[in-house]
Structure formats: C-alpha cells, structure tokens
Amino acid sequence: MLLLSSVQVSGCVTYGVECTRGLPGWLFGWSVGLGALAFVVALAAPVRRVRQAALGGQLLAECTALLVILSYYP
C-alpha cells in the first residue's frame, strides 16, 4: 500500500510508464534471504531467547527490504 501511493510506482504498475531499471538486487536479495532464514529459525528454535533474536533479525531484514524499495521509487 505504501508503494502504490507513489505516483511513479502506481503509474508503472498500472500503465507501464515511468518504470525504472529495477531494484539494487544484492541488497534486496540479502535482506529477503536473511528474513527468510530468520523466519525459519524463529519457528524451529527450541530456546525462547534464540526465537526472540531471530524475530528481531527478521523484522530488521524486512524493514531493510521495504526501505530499499521505498528509497528506489521516489
């Protein structure tokens, strides 16, 4: 919802105009991968402290991915 409020992104999604060349793949890929790994650890870890740390890492990775997207599409 946050992304579609941008004129450039909504125009790109709806009409295919003003589309940019793409996201910086390495940062987005690392943050998505780290978020997925932290998600699995948060679900599978038997120790509560490990689950809490994994959840914090997942939230950080998801916020990083969101900020990469938001900063790339003004």
Side-chain angles (χ1 to χ4, degrees):
M1 294 307 292
L2 235 125
L3 289 174
L4 290 177
S5 66
S6 169
V7 173
Q8 184 176 2
V9 175
S10 61
C12 180
V13 170
T14 308
Y15 303 111
V17 296
E18 294 188 32
C19 295
T20 58
R21 62 189 178 283
L23 294 171
W26 66 272
L27 182 59
F28 185 72
W30 274 99
S31 61
V32 169
L34 181 65
L37 179 66
F39 177 72
V40 170
V41 170
L43 289 178
V47 181
R48 184 174 186 196
R49 191 176 285 283
V50 174
R51 288 194 312 254
Q52 288 175 340
L55 179 61
Q58 179 187 6
L59 291 174
L60 179 67
E62 287 179 8
C63 287
T64 302
L66 180 64
L67 287 175
V68 166
I69 293 170
L70 286 175
S71 66
Y72 200 72
Y73 292 108

